[in-house]
Amino acid sequence: MADPYSTLGITRSASEKDIKSAYRKLAKELHPDRNKDNPKAAEKFSDITKAYDLLSDKDKRAQFDRGEIDMEGNPANPFAGMGGNSRGGFSGSAGGQRGFRAEDFQGFGNEQVDLGDIFEGLFGGGRARGTARPGGMGGDPFGGRHTPPPRKGADIGYTLRVPFVDAATLKDQRITLADGKTIDLKLPKGLEDGTQMRLKGKGQQGPGGAGDGLVTIKVDRHKLFARDGSDVRCDLPITLDEAVNGGKVRVPTVDGPVMMTIKPGTDGGTVLRLKGKGFTKKDGSRGDQLVTLEIQLPQDLADLAKRLEGWKDESNPRADLGA
C-alpha cells in the first residue's frame, strides 16, 4: 500500500470529515460487489480500507505522522524520533538543546538500556567493559566487576487482518512470520479489534535467546453485519405481506443462514433476537444477533393501490409524539 493519504487522495492536513468522505466515495466505487470481474478493484478496496483504519484512529494517525509506525500499523525504525542527524549524532529539539532521560532509552527488547555503554560508544569513553563505574553504577554496590546477562533479540510486530465472520466464530488464521515459516494462529476468546497476541520466541534472535512476535488483530468490516459489543446487528428487508400476515424467513448469520419466524402484524423497525449468534466472549459464551426488520413495498404499487381502493387507515401512529 502506498502512503495512506495518497491512497485516499487527501492531504496530510485533512480533517476527520475529509477522511471519512474520501473513504466512502472510494469504497462505493471499488466495492467488490460492484467489481466482481475486476480483481484489481478488490485489491484497491483493501488498500483504502487499511488507509482509512489507520487515519481514522487519532492515535495511530499521530504515530504514523511522527514516523513511529508504518502504513500497515507495524512499528517503524525503533530509533525514529530520537533526533538522529546527518553525522549520526543526536540533535537537540527546536528552541534549545534537549537533555536525555533514562526512559528515552527504554523499550528495546523490553530491557533497560545501559546509558554508560551508549555514551561511551558515541563519545569514545575509555572505560574497559566489566570494570566498575563510579558509585557502583551498573556494577555491584561495592564497586566489583559485573557482567550483564546476555540480551534477548528484539520483538517483531505484525498486523493480521481477520474477516468479520472469522473473528466472530474464532476461526484459526494462517500467518507467515518474518523467518518465512507459516503457522495457524488460534484466536482468543473475547477478541476485539486491536487485540494483541504474543508469540513466544518468534522474534529476532539474540545472545540471550529469541524475542517475541507481537500480533495486532484488525477485524475487517462486513457488508451485512456490524458489531455492537458482543452482539452482531443486521438489517433484514421483509415484504408487506410478511409484515401483515407473518411467516418464516431466511436470515443470514455469522454461522450461516437460519430460519426466523415473523409474527402477523409486525411493524417495520422491530428488532428480533437470535440467541448465540454473536461474538465469543471471554467466558466462552456468545452474544446474540439483533435483526432489525425493514418493510419493503413492492416496486409496482398499482396492484396494491387497487386492492386498497376504498380503504383508509383511520389510526394515528404519531399520536404519542404529539404530532
Side-chain angles (χ1 to χ4, degrees), residues 110 152-156 158 177-179 181 183 197-206 208-214:
N110 298 323
K152 284 188 175 182
D155 295 338
I156 298 178
Y158 301 90
L177 304 178
D179 59 5
K181 294 181 179 178
I183 63 172
M197 301 178 65
R198 183 177 291 272
L199 306 178
K200 290 288 186 182
K202 298 300 182 181
Q204 293 182 3
Q205 289 291 336
D212 299 331
L214 300 177

Coordinates of all heavy atoms in Angstrom, one line a residue, residues 110 152-156 158 177-179 181 183 197-206 208-214:
N110 N 12.4 -5.0 25.7 CA 11.8 -5.0 27.0 C 12.8 -5.0 28.1 O 12.6 -5.5 29.2 CB 10.9 -6.2 27.2 CG 9.8 -6.2 26.2 OD1 9.3 -5.2 25.9 ND2 9.4 -7.4 25.7
K152 N 18.1 -10.7 25.0 CA 17.3 -11.4 24.1 C 17.2 -10.5 22.8 O 17.4 -9.3 22.8 CB 15.8 -11.6 24.6 CG 15.7 -12.7 25.6 CD 14.3 -13.0 26.0 CE 14.1 -14.2 26.9 NZ 12.7 -14.4 27.2
G153 N 16.8 -11.2 21.7 CA 16.6 -10.5 20.5 C 15.4 -9.5 20.5 O 14.6 -9.6 21.5
A154 N 15.2 -8.6 19.6 CA 14.1 -7.7 19.6 C 12.8 -8.4 19.2 O 12.8 -9.4 18.5 CB 14.4 -6.6 18.5
D155 N 11.7 -7.8 19.7 CA 10.4 -8.3 19.3 C 10.1 -7.9 17.9 O 10.6 -6.9 17.4 CB 9.3 -7.7 20.3 CG 9.5 -8.2 21.7 OD1 10.1 -9.3 21.9 OD2 8.9 -7.6 22.6
I156 N 9.2 -8.6 17.2 CA 8.8 -8.3 15.9 C 7.3 -8.1 15.9 O 6.6 -8.9 16.4 CB 9.2 -9.4 14.9 CG1 10.7 -9.6 14.8 CG2 8.6 -9.1 13.5 CD1 11.2 -10.7 13.9
Y158 N 3.6 -7.6 14.0 CA 2.8 -8.0 12.9 C 1.4 -7.4 13.0 O 0.9 -7.2 14.1 CB 2.7 -9.5 12.8 CG 4.0 -10.3 12.7 CD1 4.6 -10.7 13.8 CD2 4.5 -10.6 11.4 CE1 5.8 -11.4 13.8 CE2 5.7 -11.3 11.4 CZ 6.4 -11.7 12.5 OH 7.5 -12.4 12.5
L177 N 5.5 -15.7 9.3 CA 6.4 -15.0 10.1 C 7.6 -14.4 9.3 O 7.8 -14.8 8.2 CB 6.9 -15.9 11.3 CG 5.8 -16.5 12.1 CD1 6.4 -17.4 13.2 CD2 4.9 -15.4 12.8
A178 N 8.4 -13.6 10.0 CA 9.5 -12.9 9.4 C 10.5 -14.0 8.9 O 11.2 -13.7 7.9 CB 10.2 -12.0 10.3
D179 N 10.6 -15.1 9.5 CA 11.6 -16.2 9.1 C 11.0 -17.0 7.9 O 11.7 -18.0 7.5 CB 12.0 -17.0 10.3 CG 10.8 -17.8 10.9 OD1 9.7 -17.7 10.4 OD2 11.0 -18.4 12.0
K181 N 8.4 -18.9 8.0 CA 7.5 -20.1 8.5 C 6.1 -19.6 8.6 O 5.8 -18.5 8.9 CB 8.0 -20.6 9.8 CG 9.4 -21.2 9.8 CD 9.9 -21.7 11.2 CE 11.2 -22.3 11.1 NZ 11.7 -22.8 12.4
I183 N 2.3 -20.4 10.4 CA 1.7 -21.0 11.5 C 0.2 -20.8 11.5 O -0.3 -19.8 10.9 CB 2.2 -20.6 12.8 CG1 2.0 -19.1 13.1 CG2 3.7 -20.9 12.9 CD1 2.4 -18.6 14.5
M197 N -1.7 -10.2 20.4 CA -1.3 -11.6 20.8 C 0.2 -11.7 20.8 O 0.9 -11.2 19.9 CB -1.9 -12.6 19.9 CG -3.4 -12.6 19.8 SD -4.1 -13.7 18.6 CE -3.6 -15.3 19.3
R198 N 0.8 -12.4 21.8 CA 2.2 -12.6 21.9 C 2.6 -14.0 21.6 O 2.1 -14.9 22.1 CB 2.7 -12.3 23.4 CG 4.2 -12.3 23.6 CD 4.6 -12.0 25.0 NE 4.4 -10.5 25.2 CZ 5.3 -9.6 25.0 NH1 6.5 -9.9 24.5 NH2 5.0 -8.3 25.2
L199 N 3.5 -14.1 20.6 CA 4.1 -15.4 20.2 C 5.5 -15.5 20.8 O 6.4 -14.9 20.3 CB 4.1 -15.5 18.7 CG 2.8 -15.2 17.9 CD1 3.0 -15.3 16.4 CD2 1.7 -16.1 18.4
K200 N 5.6 -16.4 21.8 CA 6.9 -16.5 22.5 C 7.9 -17.1 21.6 O 7.7 -18.1 20.8 CB 6.7 -17.5 23.7 CG 5.9 -16.9 24.8 CD 6.6 -15.8 25.6 CE 5.9 -15.4 26.8 NZ 6.6 -14.3 27.5
G201 N 9.1 -16.4 21.6 CA 10.2 -16.9 20.8 C 10.1 -16.7 19.3 O 10.9 -17.3 18.6
K202 N 9.2 -15.9 18.8 CA 9.0 -15.7 17.4 C 9.6 -14.4 16.9 O 9.2 -13.9 15.8 CB 7.6 -15.9 17.0 CG 7.0 -17.3 17.3 CD 7.7 -18.4 16.6 CE 7.1 -19.7 16.8 NZ 7.8 -20.8 16.1
G203 N 10.4 -13.8 17.8 CA 11.1 -12.5 17.4 C 12.4 -12.7 16.8 O 12.8 -13.9 16.4
Q204 N 13.3 -11.7 16.9 CA 14.6 -11.8 16.4 C 15.5 -12.6 17.4 O 15.3 -12.5 18.6 CB 15.2 -10.4 16.1 CG 14.5 -9.7 15.0 CD 15.2 -8.3 14.7 OE1 16.2 -8.0 15.3 NE2 14.6 -7.6 13.8
Q205 N 16.5 -13.3 16.8 CA 17.5 -14.0 17.7 C 18.4 -13.0 18.3 O 18.8 -12.0 17.7 CB 18.2 -15.0 16.9 CG 17.4 -16.2 16.4 CD 17.0 -17.1 17.6 OE1 17.7 -17.1 18.6 NE2 15.9 -17.8 17.5
G206 N 18.9 -13.3 19.5 CA 19.8 -12.5 20.2 C 20.7 -13.4 21.1 O 20.4 -14.6 21.2
G208 N 20.8 -13.8 24.2 CA 20.1 -14.4 25.3 C 18.9 -15.1 24.9 O 18.0 -15.5 25.7
G209 N 18.7 -15.4 23.6 CA 17.6 -16.1 23.1 C 16.7 -15.2 22.1 O 17.1 -14.0 21.9
A210 N 15.7 -15.7 21.6 CA 14.8 -15.0 20.7 C 13.8 -14.1 21.4 O 13.3 -14.4 22.5 CB 14.1 -16.0 19.8
G211 N 13.5 -13.0 20.8 CA 12.4 -12.1 21.3 C 11.1 -12.7 20.9 O 11.0 -13.9 20.5
D212 N 10.0 -12.0 21.1 CA 8.7 -12.5 20.8 C 8.1 -11.8 19.5 O 8.5 -10.8 19.1 CB 7.8 -12.2 22.0 CG 8.3 -12.9 23.3 OD1 8.9 -13.9 23.2 OD2 8.0 -12.4 24.4
G213 N 7.1 -12.5 19.0 CA 6.3 -11.9 18.0 C 5.0 -11.2 18.6 O 4.4 -11.8 19.4
L214 N 4.7 -10.0 18.2 CA 3.6 -9.3 18.7 C 2.6 -9.1 17.6 O 2.9 -8.3 16.6 CB 4.0 -7.9 19.3 CG 5.0 -8.0 20.5 CD1 5.4 -6.6 20.9 CD2 4.4 -8.8 21.6

